[in-house]
Amino acid sequence: MQTHKKYLSKKYLSGTQTLEVCPFSKSTRDRLIKDGRFPKPIKIGSRSFWLEDEVTAAMQAFVDARS
């Protein structure tokens, strides 16, 4: 039961919301997913969602990589 609570407390972003947070296009996001540098979405029915903390971590990795 604890596992379900862990995921219920997370914030989920739609594809459009990820593009509002991240400074790149949909095609770039999809290429980064394919390259393993951006988190894969969670499929719920026909829709895709991303965990906000995974998106934030990916963006921080881009910042850290420039050093």
Side-chain angles (χ1 to χ4, degrees):
M1 204 56 143
Q2 291 291 3
T3 303
H4 297 318
K5 289 182 181 181
K6 178 174 69 171
Y7 290 106
L8 289 175
S9 65
K10 301 285 185 181
K11 182 172 180 187
Y12 295 84
L13 301 175
S14 69
T16 302
Q17 289 171 318
T18 63
L19 298 176
E20 291 171 359
V21 173
C22 303
F24 41 71
S25 68
K26 180 181 183 290
S27 59
T28 298
R29 181 196 65 201
D30 294 345
R31 187 178 74 250
L32 291 170
I33 292 168
K34 185 178 179 182
D35 294 345
R37 300 186 325 163
F38 198 77
K40 291 182 179 182
I42 297 167
K43 298 292 271 182
I44 301 175
S46 63
R47 298 194 59 199
S48 297
F49 296 92
W50 284 258
L51 290 171
E52 182 180 43
D53 57 348
E54 290 180 356
V55 171
T56 301
M59 295 307 295
Q60 186 61 50
F62 290 124
V63 172
D64 295 344
R66 69 181 183 162
S67 300

